[in-house]
Amino acid sequence: MEGDRILLTGANGQIGTELTIELQKIYGEDNVIATDIREPSERISRFEILDILDSSKLDAFIAENKISQVYHLAALLSSKGEENPAFTWKLNFDAYIKLLEIGRDRQLKKIFFPSTIGIYGPTTPKRDTPQNSSFEPATVYGISKFTGELWSDYFNKRYGLDVRGLRYPGVISHKVRPAGGTTDFAVEIFFDAREKSSYNCYLKAGTRLPMMYMPDVMKATLELMHADRSSISTSMAYNIHGFSLSPEELAAEIKSYLPDFEISYNPDHRQAIADSWTESIDDSLARRDWSWNAEYDMTSMVKDMIEQMIK
Ligand SMILES: NC(=O)c1ccc[n+]([C@@H]2O[C@H](COP(=O)([O-])OP(=O)(O)OC[C@H]3O[C@@H](n4cnc5c(N)ncnc54)[C@H](O)[C@@H]3O)[C@@H](O)[C@H]2O)c1
């Protein structure tokens, strides 16, 4: 790890806000540079504005700062991405190809690429979704991330670039209120429970989706990135699973702590996206290759979220 200099793109989002701190603990504050197109809400010791669409600036930034690893988080998520598919492709895919080329030409040590359960589609098996399956994503987000995975693998096989990826499920956390994803309800529900003791859910009852609590998201990301390369058998992205939940199961668990809490349902366009995704994930390859094991289930996640946010 000595001599490593880390760049995070899209660092002000739900995941980057927490990953920056975890990486600083490992590599030191001076060696981790958080970047985004908007200023962070809280002060970060090393932060710079950097637009990933400006590939010459990205290249110069990587060279000038002697970056050795990139955690490439900047993207438009599933729901927001549908508003402007062509732009989403440009941001999620075109900018990623440029980064892969920079990684090859500047001989970066490692690149982290976050993929998603959004790569699954109506033809993917809904339960225990296998690592390799039928992928016909229903959103431009899913298409851009799946194609990104294929290009990660291509750059690894053709140029030896060490690219590693995870197919994150819906991420639940309490520091940042997310926007633009289809699994946001699992976070919004806690903010609304705290603010008004009720939540109007944009998905209907019975919609079960795979989720993961942020401490496990950090654990998976860091374990994968620090695993010996010889144990990594795919440069696409690994399936990882935490737990599955539906809005009413989550609401019932919250109600056990906050008896006045009520949930109502008013499904919108995100229902169709959620319906195209799967319910649970077979993550046996990650378990086999780098000993992945989630620590939180729904019950322990809700207990901790309530303690952190409400009680
Ligand atoms: N949060 C989840 O549930 C989830 C699930 C699966 C995959 N992921 C993936 O993980 C990554 C991080 O997700 P997140 O939830 O933190 O996303 P987020 O939307 O919270 O954050 C994305 C960040 O990217 C920044 N950004 C947008 N355009 C940019 C540009 N041109 N240049 C630089 N930065 C730009 C935004 O300002 C934002 O801070 C994404 O690639 C996402 O696809 C997230």
Side-chain angles (χ1 to χ4, degrees):
M1 282 175 220
E2 203 144 301
D4 267 309
R5 307 260 294 171
I6 316 293
L7 166 67
L8 292 99
T9 68
N12 289 346
Q14 186 191 9
I15 294 173
T17 302
E18 306 212 21
L19 189 57
T20 300
I21 295 164
E22 294 307 315
L23 288 168
Q24 282 176 339
K25 285 181 200 161
I26 299 169
Y27 295 95
E29 286 194 7
D30 275 356
N31 296 318
V32 177
I33 311 182
T35 65
D36 204 294
I37 41 166
R38 54 192 176 101
E39 291 288 340
S41 52
E42 282 174 29
R43 209 185 146 271
I44 303 174
S45 53
R46 288 207 70 181
F47 176 82
E48 307 247 359
I49 294 287
L50 183 64
D51 184 346
I52 57 154
L53 291 172
D54 188 343
S55 55
S56 340
K57 199 159 168 214
L58 179 63
D59 183 39
F61 191 95
I62 285 174
E64 278 158 25
N65 290 286
K66 300 189 170 50
I67 298 296
S68 58
Q69 299 186 38
V70 178
Y71 287 72
H72 182 58
L73 305 178
L76 275 182
L77 273 61
S78 56
S79 168
K80 190 90 191 134
E82 291 303 286
E83 288 171 18
N84 189 342
F87 179 73
T88 302
W89 178 257
K90 203 170 150 189
L91 184 73
N92 290 7
F93 182 69
D94 288 345
Y96 181 51
I97 294 262
K98 294 281 182 207
L99 174 64
L100 288 172
E101 287 174 344
I102 295 168
R104 173 197 60 199
D105 298 345
R106 299 262 174 220
Q107 297 185 324
L108 288 185
K109 225 157 109 181
K110 287 177 210 170
I111 293 179
F112 175 71
F113 178 70
S115 189
T116 164
I117 55 169
I119 66 162
Y120 309 140
T123 57
T124 312
K126 284 248 176 237
R127 299 220 171 112
D128 291 328
T129 304
Q131 173 74 28
N132 296 311
S133 184
S134 165
F135 300 110
E136 295 178 22
T139 60
V140 65
Y141 175 64
I143 297 169
S144 64
K145 288 288 187 174
F146 186 61
T147 321
E149 283 194 26
L150 292 170
W151 278 79
S152 302
D153 193 49
Y154 178 78
F155 266 70
N156 175 262
K157 292 201 172 101
R158 172 118 197 237
Y159 305 111
L161 188 63
D162 186 353
V163 191
R164 305 179 184 197
L166 294 173
R167 294 171 183 159
Y168 288 139
V171 174
I172 301 176
S173 65
H174 51 82
K175 288 204 173 128
V176 173
R177 191 173 179 140
T182 301
T183 53
D184 293 353
F185 75 92
V187 180
E188 287 175 355
I189 196 170
F190 288 95
F191 281 86
D192 282 11
R194 177 171 69 184
E195 284 153 27
K196 43 189 189 186
S197 247
S198 65
Y199 180 61
N200 187 14
C201 187
Y202 57 80
L203 297 181
K204 62 184 186 212
T207 313
R208 287 194 104 227
L209 290 167
M211 300 281 173
M212 188 172 285
Y213 193 32
M214 188 61 96
D216 276 334
V217 171
M218 295 296 108
K219 181 171 169 290
T221 309
L222 297 171
E223 283 179 2
L224 171 71
M225 287 300 278
H226 293 112
D228 204 88
R229 180 72 217 187
S230 59
S231 64
I232 308 282
S233 63
T234 179
S235 285
M236 291 190 62
Y238 281 90
N239 273 6
I240 46 166
H241 190 54
F243 45 85
S244 301
L245 60 73
S246 62
E248 75 279 13
E249 287 167 342
L250 181 55
E253 195 67 31
I254 292 174
K255 215 170 157 60
S256 70
Y257 294 90
L258 308 169
D260 293 339
F261 176 73
E262 295 295 341
I263 186 165
S264 53
Y265 301 94
N266 187 15
D268 67 12
H269 65 280
R270 287 169 281 190
Q271 185 66 50
I273 300 177
D275 288 344
S276 75
W277 292 355
T278 67
E279 194 178 305
S280 60
I281 293 163
D282 174 357
D283 57 6
S284 49
L285 190 67
R287 288 170 183 274
R288 188 200 74 186
D289 284 3
W290 40 279
S291 310
W292 162 244
N293 193 18
E295 278 177 10
Y296 284 84
D297 59 14
M298 182 179 75
T299 309
S300 51
M301 175 278 291
V302 173
K303 181 173 183 287
D304 198 58
M305 283 289 280
I306 298 274
E307 277 168 15
Q308 300 290 338
M309 288 185 70
I310 301 171
K311 295 228 155 149

